[in-house]
Amino acid sequence: MSSFLQDPVDSEAILADIRGLVEIESPSRNAEGVNRVLEAIVSFFEGTGAAYERQQTTPSLGDILRVRCDPTRDEPGVLVLSHMDTVHPVGTLAGKLAYRREGDRIYGPGIYDMKGGLMLAIAAFRRIAHARRRTLLPITFLFTPDEELSSLASRSVIEREAARHRYVLITEPARNGGKIVTARKGVGAFVVRTRGRPAHAGANSDKGRNAILAMAEIALEIERLNDRTRGITTNVGLIEGGTARNTVAEDCTIEVDLRFCDRASAGEMEARILALKSLRPDIETMVTGKITRPPFARAGGVDLIFERAATIAREIGFALESAPLVGGGSDGNFTVEMGIPTLDGLGVDGDGAHTNHEHLLFSSIEPRTRLLQGLMERLE
Ligand SMILES: [Zn+2]
């Protein structure tokens, strides 16, 4: 019998390690927090024979950690890809999203996206290492600091590393009852700025040109770009503008998120957003941004690795399903674009990613640790 089925899984011990990671707050722009997560991860690999190297990104971001589980083997193997950053600002843990357990649900910032899944993959590998088993292919882990910022600093490292591997496993959270991810939408990120003319709101309001007002109209135009039938969504997620209540606002800035299903709509929507312009007199409009992740299409290689995973899941005792097209992007969008068979959503089951009700399901720890271990042992 294969070891991923045999050895008991100590879900409480794995949860204790997950808790340790969740209690280090690591929003993407907090390099210190992300690097503390990185150091905790290094300690999890102690005694397994793995070799690690740390690579700096930019001064404002945390480092990248690469762990080679079989440092003596050079053939293309399995790359496990995880991110260490979260979207939750420091203070969330002591405030809106304290670590807590309510029945099967365990809450905490980043516990579902994706510290839970990250830890399951390490736990799966440690089970293999402690049993002194040799996997068919060498395993490498890559931990990145900026996935929630579209991986701008780590993308080239991810792509270089993925090119040396035969398969990519991504520990993003599972969807809707444990479904894994075999297709994701692409993502674009844009900044729109309007500049008008400041004036005293009482004395000289006719001389002013209000950048916020102009932007409000542009925001409505962006809302109208949503097209559910084509799977296109846009969202104005951030806004900033003006200097005082009684001043006609000179500047306004918004950040816009775009999601799409295919390359054709990517090009079309990118062009439409870059062409946004206020029609009000004396208002300047500036748009910057681009497509940051290509769509992750379910291609031949993805089907093959999904079938392998489904077989392993059946042996463990559950039916593995893939989620319908997922709106969130991941680093899997890059590796699928490169033609490397990639499975995503292998992390914990739960819900509430990026919200204050983010939680994992304790009952998902055991089967998904076994699934990850099975993939590491069986992929060839
Ligand atoms: Zn994530």
Side-chain angles (χ1 to χ4, degrees), residues 141-153:
F141 284 77
L142 195 68
F143 299 94
T144 62
D146 62 342
E147 195 275 339
E148 300 292 2
L149 301 177
S150 289
S151 306
L152 295 179

Side-chain angles (χ1 to χ4, degrees), residues 310-331:
T311 303
I312 292 167
R314 271 195 298 278
E315 290 176 47
I316 296 167
F318 67 99
L320 192 69
E321 290 176 60
S322 65
L325 188 66
V326 168
S330 88
D331 290 329

Side-chain angles (χ1 to χ4, degrees), residues 135-198:
T135 52
L136 297 171
L137 293 176
I139 313 282
T140 300
F141 284 77
L142 195 68
F143 299 94
T144 62
D146 62 342
E147 195 275 339
E148 300 292 2
L149 301 177
S150 289
S151 306
L152 295 179
S154 55
R155 178 174 184 169
S156 61
V157 179
I158 292 168
E159 289 177 340
R160 201 178 327 126
E161 195 59 38
R164 301 177 50 248
H165 286 81
R166 198 173 290 175
Y167 301 100
V168 175
L169 305 179
I170 297 188
T171 60
E172 290 285 359
R175 307 284 154 155
N176 313 322
K179 294 190 174 76
I180 61 169
V181 176
T182 51
R184 283 182 185 273
K185 289 185 181 181
V187 185
F190 300 88
V191 177
V192 185
R193 293 188 177 83
T194 47
R195 173 160 298 153
R197 192 189 299 152

Side-chain angles (χ1 to χ4, degrees), residues 64 68 93 105 113 185 193 200 234 250 299 336 357 375:
I64 294 173
R68 293 181 67 201
L93 188 67
R105 294 181 173 190
D113 181 12
K185 289 185 181 181
R193 293 188 177 83
H200 190 289
T234 58
E250 182 178 14
V336 167
H357 60 273
L375 285 163

Side-chain angles (χ1 to χ4, degrees), residues 192-250:
V192 185
R193 293 188 177 83
T194 47
R195 173 160 298 153
R197 192 189 299 152
H200 190 289
N204 292 311
S205 75
D206 55 327
K207 294 215 172 72
R209 298 288 181 264
N210 194 323
I212 293 178
L213 195 59
M215 189 63 88
E217 290 164 350
I218 290 176
L220 290 174
E221 215 172 306
I222 291 168
E223 181 63 21
R224 284 192 289 272
L225 294 176
N226 277 284
D227 187 344
R228 283 188 184 280
T229 54
R230 293 170 65 199
I232 293 167
T233 60
T234 58
N235 179 56
V236 179
L238 283 170
I239 186 161
E240 199 181 4
T243 51
R245 178 184 50 81
N246 55 5
T247 302
V248 174
E250 182 178 14

